[in-house]
Amino acid sequence: PTPYKEVHYTADGVMCRSKSEALWGTRLEQRGFTYWYDTALQLYDGSVIYTDFKIYLPHCRRLVMAEHFGMMDNPVYAENSMKRLEKYSKSGYYLGLNLFYTYETREKPLTMKDIDRKLDEIEALDRRLDW
């Protein structure tokens, strides 16, 4: 990964690149999730991306990925974010199954309610035994 321009920390002291990612990490910690921040994930074509969060689901013993897209009102950033989601899809990661995301714009900043809604979805998925 790239060096941090700004430093933000979760409640447990994990260093994050953005304030919103620090909020995500803090909420994961508060809700008792085991997670890894900014770790390598090899894709279908052999390339590697650094996923914002790998989250372990203890009941079904699987990992899911979570991404936060922080500048979606920037057209170049938004286009790159969509390309990133496409790479995930081609590698077998599907929205609502093993890939989750949040986003924000200047007009719609990320809130803890946004994160909680995603974590509620992830927790519900962990309770399902049929996947």
Side-chain angles (χ1 to χ4, degrees):
T2 59
Y4 295 100
K5 292 180 183 177
E6 293 183 40
V7 179
H8 303 275
Y9 294 93
T10 69
D12 287 352
V14 175
M15 187 186 319
C16 297
R17 285 188 310 272
S18 75
K19 184 170 47 174
S20 294
E21 289 173 351
L23 289 174
W24 250 100
T26 294
R27 191 53 114 206
L28 285 163
E29 293 161 0
Q30 290 170 340
R31 290 181 63 163
F33 283 92
T34 298
Y35 76 94
W36 296 266
Y37 174 71
D38 198 32
T39 57
L41 179 67
Q42 188 166 350
L43 300 177
Y44 73 100
D45 61 359
S47 66
V48 173
I49 60 171
Y50 287 83
T51 189
D52 289 342
F53 299 95
K54 287 181 185 174
I55 304 167
Y56 178 67
L57 305 183
H59 295 99
C60 62
R61 298 185 186 138
R62 295 181 187 253
L63 288 174
V64 298
M65 306 303 141
E67 291 283 345
H68 176 69
F69 301 115
M71 299 184 300
M72 293 302 281
D73 40 8
N74 174 320
V76 173
Y77 181 95
E79 182 178 347
N80 289 337
S81 297
M82 294 303 102
K83 287 177 183 176
R84 186 174 180 93
L85 289 174
E86 183 179 3
K87 284 183 177 185
Y88 270 114
S89 177
K90 287 180 179 178
S91 297
Y93 292 91
Y94 304 106
L95 293 175
L97 180 61
N98 52 6
L99 176 63
F100 298 84
Y101 76 93
T102 54
Y103 72 93
E104 65 186 305
T105 66
R106 283 186 206 103
E107 296 288 318
K108 188 212 167 289
L110 181 70
T111 67
M112 290 304 249
K113 283 186 180 183
D114 297 327
I115 297 169
D116 281 334
R117 276 192 288 274
K118 286 298 167 188
L119 292 178
D120 289 346
E121 290 176 34
I122 292 168
E123 283 181 333
L125 180 68
D126 189 28
R127 290 187 206 102
R128 286 184 51 195
L129 300 176
D130 60 343
W131 72 288

